[in-house]
């Protein structure tokens, strides 16, 4: 009974993908761009440095929402065992061979993890929910209640839902997810963000907290994987399917595997702790002039863009995971402590020369 229901739901999902690919083929470039923009990498490399230097509490919350949300997404995927349209359509008995529909694949289609819930939808919902609620809190708290507040709320929430619809449609269009998976991703992402809206201890967490939290989350995920593996459950079953059914082998990327995302997120969280408790940050956090902030934002965006071009070698999985952790830890560390210190020093030297 359950299998029949899931086949019907997933069959509807394939029909939705077919409909979008046939009727909105001209929007292919837009859908691919939206899928790229919704990747959590852009939160770490763009939103975090921008907001941290404008409002540190928002930047810190963004990292926690993104990291914990993506960690929960990994655990949910291991529990729910969600299929992905691009391989399910070839293997299911829901269709006869003569009636089996064809769906196109794209460079972003062939992700290697389970499909439910959608990580892109969950991440985008969590991040943009955090941004919208933070902006509203900042602006409304600094102004008296008025009709303009109602218009602002309407505008921002309309933008939020517009982004979510675009992300969901893009993931269905490229055959990476079924509709029910992206809907589940949006709902869970919003829940995670709302939980952190009510969580205050993250802003005063010490280095021990960051270290133990990183250790706990990593150990839990690895332990859960080993436990299920000992029980005969293969949590990497999707990698074989991706390699079998992806039409181009080079579209199957090691950085979409579950352990790649785990170590990437753990590195980011640990790097944030290192940055916030660095002597360099302690020395420069009192400098809050608009010129310093602007310099830090510009320097961070440029430097991190260049840094993002470094891709760890993939010929050895263990080396790739280690370098991914180190690369991810470097991003918040550089943003929080090293760049502000260098900007402050540069401006101080310039002022001395001016005198």
């Amino acid at each position: 009974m359950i299998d029949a229901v899931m086949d019907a739901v997933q069959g509807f999902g394939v029909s939705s993908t077919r409909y979008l690919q046939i009727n909105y083929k001209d929007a292919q470039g837009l859908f691919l761009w939206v899928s790229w923009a919704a990747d959590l990498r852009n939160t770490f490399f763009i939103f975090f440095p921008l907001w941290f230097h404008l409002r540190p509490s928002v930047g810190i919350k963004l990292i926690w929402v993104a990291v914990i949300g993506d960690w929960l997404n990994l655990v949910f995927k291991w529990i729910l065992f969600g299929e992905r349209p691009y391989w399910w359509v070839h293997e299911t008995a829901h269709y006869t061979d003569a009636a089996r529909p064809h769906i196109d694949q794209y460079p972003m289609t062939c992700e290697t993890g389970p499909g439910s819930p959608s990580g892109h939808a969950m991440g985008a919902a969590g991040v943009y929910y955090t941004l919208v609620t933070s902006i509203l809190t900042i602006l409304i708290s600094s102004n008296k209640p008025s009709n303009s507040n109602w218009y602002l709320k309407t505008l921002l929430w309309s933008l939020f839902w517009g982004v979510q619809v675009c992300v969901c449609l893009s993931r269905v269009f490229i055959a990476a997810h079924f509709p029910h998976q992206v809907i589940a991703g949006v709902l869970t992402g919003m829940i995670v963000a709302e939980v952190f809206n009510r969580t205050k201890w993250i802003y005063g967490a010490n280095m021990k907290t960051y270290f133990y939290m990183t250790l706990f989350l990593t150990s839990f995920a690895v332990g859960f994987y080993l436990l299920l593996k000992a029980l005969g459950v293969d949590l990497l079953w999707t990698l074989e399917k991706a390699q079998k059914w992806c039409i181009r082998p080079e579209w199957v990327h090691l950085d979409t595997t579950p352990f790649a995302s785990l170590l990437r997120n753990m590195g980011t969280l640990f790097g944030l702790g290192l940055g916030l408790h660095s002597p360099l940050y302690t020395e420069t956090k009192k400098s809050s002039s608009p010129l310093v902030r602007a310099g830090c934002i510009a320097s961070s965006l440029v430097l991190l863009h260049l840094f993002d071009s470094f891709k760890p070698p993939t010929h050895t999985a263990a080396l790739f995971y280690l370098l991914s952790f180190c690369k991810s830890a470097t991003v918040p560390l550089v943003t929080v402590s090293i760049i502000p210190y260098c900007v402050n020093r540069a401006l101080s030297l310039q002022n001395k020369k001016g005198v």
Side-chain angles (χ1 to χ4, degrees):
M1 179 63 181
I2 296 178
D3 290 342
V5 171
M6 287 306 301
D7 281 347
V9 169
Q10 290 170 166
F12 168 77
V14 169
S15 298
S16 301
T17 297
R18 283 275 297 162
Y19 176 83
L20 290 173
Q21 290 184 350
I22 292 173
N23 293 280
Y24 295 93
K25 195 172 185 63
D26 292 342
Q28 171 185 327
L30 174 62
F31 283 131
L32 291 176
W33 181 85
V34 169
S35 273
W36 171 84
D39 194 284
L40 277 182
R41 177 183 287 106
N42 294 311
T43 297
F44 302 141
F45 284 84
I46 299 176
F47 290 143
F48 169 68
L50 175 64
W51 275 98
F52 182 82
H53 295 302
L54 290 175
R55 182 78 61 142
S57 60
V58 178
I60 292 171
K61 183 163 61 173
L62 276 174
I63 291 293
W64 280 91
V65 168
V67 166
I68 300 301
D70 208 43
W71 181 86
L72 286 171
N73 181 264
L74 170 65
V75 175
F76 288 153
K77 282 181 174 179
W78 279 350
I79 294 173
L80 297 175
F81 274 63
E83 303 276 356
R84 289 187 184 268
Y86 77 92
W87 72 59
W88 180 83
V89 71
H90 295 288
E91 297 187 343
T92 180
H94 182 65
Y95 306 106
T96 63
D97 289 337
R100 197 174 301 277
H102 169 78
I103 53 177
D104 294 329
Q105 295 182 18
Y106 304 91
M108 297 182 189
T109 298
C110 302
E111 295 196 2
T112 58
S116 187
S118 165
H120 278 72
M122 187 171 174
V127 167
Y128 283 92
Y129 188 95
T130 299
L131 291 177
V132 168
T133 53
S134 297
I135 293 171
L136 288 175
T137 299
I138 294 168
L139 295 180
I140 292 176
S141 63
S142 61
N143 297 301
K144 295 180 179 179
S146 64
N147 289 333
S148 62
N149 291 341
W150 184 85
Y151 294 130
L152 180 63
K153 287 183 179 179
T154 302
L155 174 63
L156 289 178
W157 284 117
S158 297
L159 289 173
F160 170 81
W161 285 111
V163 170
Q164 305 317 308
V165 169
C166 289
V167 172
C168 291
L169 289 176
S170 73
R171 303 305 288 168
V172 173
F173 176 87
I174 67 174
H177 288 288
F178 296 103
H180 69 278
Q181 294 173 342
V182 294
I183 293 172
V186 170
L187 295 177
T188 50
M190 291 173 63
I191 291 172
V192 171
E194 182 58 31
V195 168
F196 277 98
N197 278 345
R198 303 167 186 267
T199 303
K200 306 302 180 186
W201 61 265
I202 58 175
Y203 307 113
N206 57 32
M207 189 60 222
K208 283 186 178 180
T209 301
Y210 278 95
F211 174 77
Y212 287 128
M213 183 62 72
T214 302
L215 183 62
F216 168 76
L217 294 175
T218 305
S219 300
F220 183 94
V222 174
F224 186 53
Y225 168 80
L226 294 175
L227 174 63
L228 292 182
K229 186 176 182 180
L231 295 174
V233 180
D234 180 16
L235 292 177
L236 299 181
W237 60 279
T238 56
L239 182 58
E240 180 181 348
K241 290 181 180 291
Q243 293 170 336
K244 180 178 180 181
W245 294 113
C246 188
I247 60 173
R248 299 183 64 172
E250 63 269 23
W251 288 354
V252 180
H253 300 293
L254 189 59
D255 62 357
T256 66
T257 59
F259 282 113
S261 67
L262 173 66
L263 292 175
R264 187 164 55 241
N265 290 320
M266 294 306 98
T268 301
L269 186 62
F270 187 68
L272 177 63
L274 289 175
L276 291 174
H277 296 90
S278 164
L280 299 182
Y281 177 67
T282 303
E283 182 177 337
T284 59
K285 66 180 179 180
K286 296 179 182 179
S287 302
S288 57
S289 70
L291 182 60
V292 170
R293 290 182 180 180
C296 289
I297 291 172
S299 300
S300 297
L301 292 177
V302 172
L303 185 61
L304 293 183
H305 175 72
L306 296 175
F307 185 61
D308 190 33
S309 62
F310 165 71
K311 305 298 181 184
T314 58
H315 59 274
T316 304
L319 178 62
F320 173 82
Y321 292 145
L322 175 62
L323 293 178
S324 293
F325 179 91
C326 295
K327 176 183 177 180
S328 299
T330 303
V331 171
L333 175 62
V334 167
T335 302
V336 169
S337 61
I338 298 176
I339 287 178
Y341 177 79
C342 293
V343 169
N344 274 279
R345 293 287 292 176
L347 291 176
S348 297
L349 291 175
Q350 186 176 7
N351 290 336
K352 289 180 180 179
K353 289 181 179 179
V355 172

